[in-house]
Amino acid sequence: MSDVLKDFTDADFDTAVKGNDKPVLVDFWAPWCGPCKAMTPTIEEVAGETADQWVVGKMDIQANPQTAGQLGIRSIPALMFFMGGDVKATLIGTQSKDKILETMKSVTG
């Protein structure tokens, strides 16, 4: 993964995502998910463009099933936008860069 794009795990999720001072976008995905793989370049672009304001990362739900289960993720790709430890927005399925950036703006006001 790029320097800007984080890789979250069950072990660090509470600290890296819920405990972060910045808003956090998490892309929940799995290696066998074609649409998830197709989203990666878009997520990398968003991470690079918003690095000063947001923490952006991916979480492999196959390797880290605990967090996905706790959050009730049933479909991937799933993008969850966290602020202050809480989920503020969720997008399910393949999304455009514009839609992701628009959702980020709505979360932070």
Side-chain angles (χ1 to χ4, degrees):
M1 300 217 183
S2 72
D3 291 342
V4 184
L5 192 62
K6 307 295 181 200
D7 188 14
F8 301 120
T9 65
D10 283 341
D12 71 6
F13 191 82
D14 283 347
T15 305
V17 177
K18 291 186 174 183
N20 207 306
D21 292 338
K22 285 184 173 183
V24 182
L25 166 58
V26 182
D27 173 17
F28 293 91
W29 71 288
W32 46 263
C33 170
C36 298
K37 290 180 182 179
M39 282 284 300
T40 298
T42 303
I43 297 299
E44 287 175 341
E45 281 181 40
V46 168
E49 291 178 18
T50 62
D52 55 333
Q53 300 152 344
W54 281 76
V55 174
V56 179
K58 296 173 73 66
M59 183 171 213
D60 178 349
I61 66 164
Q62 188 171 321
N64 300 282
Q66 181 180 348
T67 301
Q70 289 171 347
L71 293 170
I73 293 174
R74 306 231 186 289
S75 298
I76 53 173
L79 304 177
M80 286 191 158
F81 302 78
F82 291 82
M83 195 157 129
D86 298 322
V87 177
K88 298 297 184 183
T90 303
L91 297 173
I92 304 295
T94 305
Q95 303 293 327
S96 69
K97 180 177 160 186
D98 288 344
K99 179 66 177 173
I100 296 167
L101 293 173
E102 177 184 309
T103 305
M104 291 170 117
K105 283 182 188 160
S106 75
V107 166
T108 55

